[in-house]
Amino acid sequence: MYSNRIQQAYPDNGVFAVYGAGGFGREVMPILHEQLLRQYPNISELKNKLFFVETSPSKNEVNGYKVIPEADFLAMKDVELYFNVAIADSQVRQAISERCLNGGAKPISIVSSDARLGDENEIQDGLIICPYSIITSNVKIGRFFHAYMLSYVAHDCVIGDFVTFGPRVSINGNVRVKDHAYIGASAVIKQGTKENPIIIGEGATVGMGAVVTKDVPANTVVVGNPARPLENKRDHRSL
Ligand SMILES: CC(C)(COP(=O)(O)OP(=O)(O)OC[C@H]1O[C@@H](n2cnc3c(N)ncnc32)[C@H](O)[C@@H]1OP(=O)(O)O)[C@@H](O)C(=O)NCCC(=O)NCCS
């Protein structure tokens, strides 16, 4: 469970992996770096604790950080392994998180110092919140949630596991976003009520810029204002 009220303390022998050195990974790494500097102020020591991990790296280094294969990360000895997965594909994210947990690594939540979190939230492990995103109050969020920059989740929302928000997503109060849903950039979801929340179904995709006024069925892609199903969808998860 993540708490923004408790300063996390990591052991001296902690090492930290960001899975994925692609676009999102390169955005997330400096957030984690800044977060860890509060505990490990020696920058050169910290540089040796932070890695990108890829299944089969095509480069040894990205943006000054080593890129190591997963096998090497999970085989490290005499250290405590921490990881998060900066990969938008939620199924890949789940598979990696399960391999890491089975391999003895622990999830680390990555929360920008420019993000805001309110009161009485219940947030599970593996959170990534980018700059200027806001989780207000009385919100529940499942495992390995991603909020890119400038997004918000308002009061009384319930967000499932492995949910992904693109940049500038607006989720108003009393909305339920089920597991593995993907909400595209600048989408807006109308507020629901306690009795009748708006529900974004499991595995649904809300296209960029959509204005969602009604429930979205599971595994459906919606676009437009008001949002309507997009026929003949391709696999969107690597977009
Ligand atoms: C909705 C989405 C998943 C559809 O992807 P896709 O299945 O590859 O769809 P295509 O690009 O083939 O487009 C299919 C049709 O839908 C239209 N369309 C696609 N996305 C749309 C959107 N967000 N709003 C309105 N229309 C859209 C296209 O113009 C096209 O119309 P046409 O058939 O008349 O030419 C994708 O466009 C999208 O919005 N992804 C989210 C991207 C995002 O937010 N990225 C954040 C990166 S951090």
Side-chain angles (χ1 to χ4, degrees), residues 83-105:
F83 77 99
N84 207 322
V85 189
I87 295 174
D89 185 316
S90 64
Q91 300 292 346
V92 172
R93 198 148 92 228
Q94 178 165 9
I96 290 172
S97 68
E98 285 167 4
R99 288 203 301 273
C100 284
L101 292 168
N102 290 337

Side-chain angles (χ1 to χ4, degrees), residues 74 102 140-141 155 158 220 225 236:
L74 292 176
N102 290 337
K140 291 183 181 162
I141 296 183
H155 64 89
V158 180
T220 303
N225 178 7
H236 59 277

Side-chain angles (χ1 to χ4, degrees), residues 24 27 88 148-149 165-167 169 182-187 205-210 221-225 230-237 239:
F24 189 48
E27 291 176 347
Y148 284 56
M149 66 287 245
F165 290 180
V169 162
Y182 179 95
I183 316 293
S186 294
T205 299
V206 175
M208 54 193 169
V221 181
V222 296
V223 296
N225 178 7
L230 176 66
E231 302 303 327
N232 305 323
K233 84 176 173 84
R234 294 201 312 254
D235 184 5
H236 59 277
R237 290 188 179 274
L239 296 179

Side-chain angles (χ1 to χ4, degrees), residues 148-152 165-172 182-189 206-212 224-225:
Y148 284 56
M149 66 287 245
L150 296 159
S151 293
Y152 72 79
F165 290 180
R168 212 179 271 282
V169 162
S170 304
I171 308 285
N172 291 296
Y182 179 95
I183 316 293
S186 294
V188 179
I189 318 287
V206 175
M208 54 193 169
V211 176
V212 176
N225 178 7

